[in-house]
Amino acid sequence: MAQLDTLDIIVLAAILVGTVAYFTKGKVWGITKDPYANAFANTNGAKAGKTRNILEKMEESGKNCVIFYGSQTGTAEDYASRLAKEGKSRFGLETMVADLEDYDFDNLDAIPSDKVVMFVLATYGEGEPTDNAVDFYEFITGEDPAFSESSEAPLQNLNYVAFGLGNNTYEHYNSMVRNVNKALEKLGAKRIGEAGEGDDGAGTMEEDFLAWKDPMWAALAEKMGLEEREAVYEPIFGITEREGLTKDSPEVYLGEPNKMHLEGTAKGPFNAHNPYIAPIVDSKELFSVKDRNCLHMEVDISGSNLTYQTGDHIAIWPTNAGHEVDLLLGILGLEDKRDTVISVKALEPTAKVPFPTPTTYDAIIRYHLEIGAPVSRQFLGTLAAFAPDEATKAEMTRLGNDKDYFQDKVSKNHYNISRTLGLVSNGQKWTNVPFSAFIEGLTKLQPRYYSISSSSLVQPKKISITAVVENQLIPGRADPFKGVATNYLLALKQKQNGDSNPEPFGLTYELHGPRNKYDGIHVPVHVRHSNFKLPSDPSKPIILIGPGTGVAPFRGFVQERAKLAESGENVGRTLLFFGCRKRNEDFMYESEWEDYKKALGDKFEMITAFSREGPKKVYVQHRLKERAEEVNELLEKKAYLYVCGDAANMAREVNTVLAQIIAEKRGIPETKAEEIVKNMRASNQYQVSYTNTPLKPTHSTVHLRLAILYLLPRVVSILETSMLIDIIGGRLVIMADYTAACYFSMHGRVSVADRLCIEEIRC
């Protein structure tokens, strides 16, 4: 192995220190506290989070049932909360809801048999745990998890319940709950009832959950000797009107996500708890047809510590439309109280208020609750007791109990809570409903994630977004179903392009934000990292399949390869399959592709499928089959294949076509070809990102972005089992970010291609 000179040693030592700092940030130093914990100091006496010992927490708070959730978008957390409320109201259980990442699990074996543990677990991406469930999943499915006491069946006293949230369009459907259930049984735990599975892909998640929970409760009641009682609403949160405060009082939150934003001192780290208020520097329409919109936006992150890599996702924090806010305030009889200041206090020690207070009714509904989402049948059943008259109560009870009736009257029309209440009561106001019921029964307004459509190499401080505006006509419904975030973005685009009073599809938004903090065309954002990445070696061929807005990440991919080619790098063959309706209506970035073609030459080819231009509809999967010969040749050369778009149809058909191509061109049985395709996916040679469900992001505690630079021609394995890397070259440099790589490049040590050689390595 080549000798290291002094400069090598100095730089490697600096990088080692930086790497240690990277992994210890948030644990040893730079610990970020709950962004709005101080806002509750005077209103919430809970001491949640002081121990990571779940048994200790249950005993000190008098709980005999804990519901753990692994959630990425809030649905699993919502189901966990609903189970907790139902267990308490129907069976008298002392329940608590717990985030999996808040506790350790080495003492699960100490939980006695008179307590019950529930797991509500979403599967994310290609069969992976959600961010907050990674540590739990790795512990419980490990070869030999270390519990507090040694035993052949360490969890023999543990009674548990399990429900999974999945999507059958993914290959590893509900693998999280299946694998955890298998691990728990192996460790001796006793499951109560069936392990339920909800299917978002079939659109039956809610009904799957409702169908599972009733027999589960019956089995639990029999096992634990519980007696069912008449369910009575018991609030988790107390609401107090603050007569001494007005909406102009400086301590009142008007939609600010935390105390730093309230005080005008927002600073990083910017993340899912703390957004960056980013300026939109450019926005335009990509479609040339009147009844459909697709937006291109450029978000400037130069004023923050946010960074991104090509293929990552940007989260947009939306605001509810003013019309929807007014509808809900109106049906609840709160129009005149919209600016009344209230405090929200947790009434039991393990609950946490989901937003900072004191605040106003308007701010809660506008910035914090998913008021535009389709309403759940179970929630309607809860509200029946507060109906304005007996006829309305009977109708609400029927909707809550009869799934077919609910489907016909409410679900098929995608009615939200305000429309449903107005429909059932014929416009009568629901003034008897405690406002706490809505805080508990509606999910928290979630950020919306979009694939970034730019290259971090080309524009590291500007993030591109490509998004179709959701405005869908539904048979039987009077008005279109409108997307929350995309119509908000459309209003911002209209304002930026000269419309002083933007009203996309009749909707208005508080574009200035709370206390005008978003003035000047700003939007709250954070970045979520993804594993959907170009191969580390730019000379590798790639096949990209992205119809519609599925082309978004591939614009960034091609943009990056064009830049590398202009810098003199050897760039591999790049095939892009793109589909839309008509060339003259929705061919996104048409002129840009020509520019990339000039930079990449014959290394780049775009194959188009315009579905509405011929006598027969043609889609990208048809074009893929037409290019079977070249596709197979590229795959035999270890080309990377990427698919982004509709999971329910296109992605599945592409998967089928790939197997057919491999079987036909290699002369093998289709079953063997399907196995090859499956192995490609397992090895990340074949990656899929669905437009509505981005891939699992990198988990900061177990991943490090490493640049591996190969400088000498011989193979030397200098790191063995500790980091799972075989290094090619006699001199190795491992860098934690582009800054170090650029240092080497500027000093003539490596090429531009070397410093872009990024790998995701599990440590």
Side-chain angles (χ1 to χ4, degrees), residues 717-726 762-763:
S717 178
I718 64 169
L719 297 177
E720 299 176 347
T721 57
S722 60
M723 290 189 74
L724 305 179
I725 308 174
D726 272 353
R762 182 173 292 272
C763 296

Side-chain angles (χ1 to χ4, degrees), residues 90-126:
R90 283 181 63 187
F91 299 98
L93 284 168
E94 293 299 329
T95 57
M96 65 174 284
V97 176
D99 187 330
L100 279 168
E101 69 180 356
D102 288 344
Y103 294 93
D104 298 322
F105 297 94
D106 54 356
N107 64 340
L108 275 182
D109 60 334
I111 294 179
S113 59
D114 61 349
K115 299 184 188 296
V116 64
V117 177
M118 298 187 181
F119 296 96
V120 183
L121 305 170
T123 298
Y124 192 53
E126 291 298 310

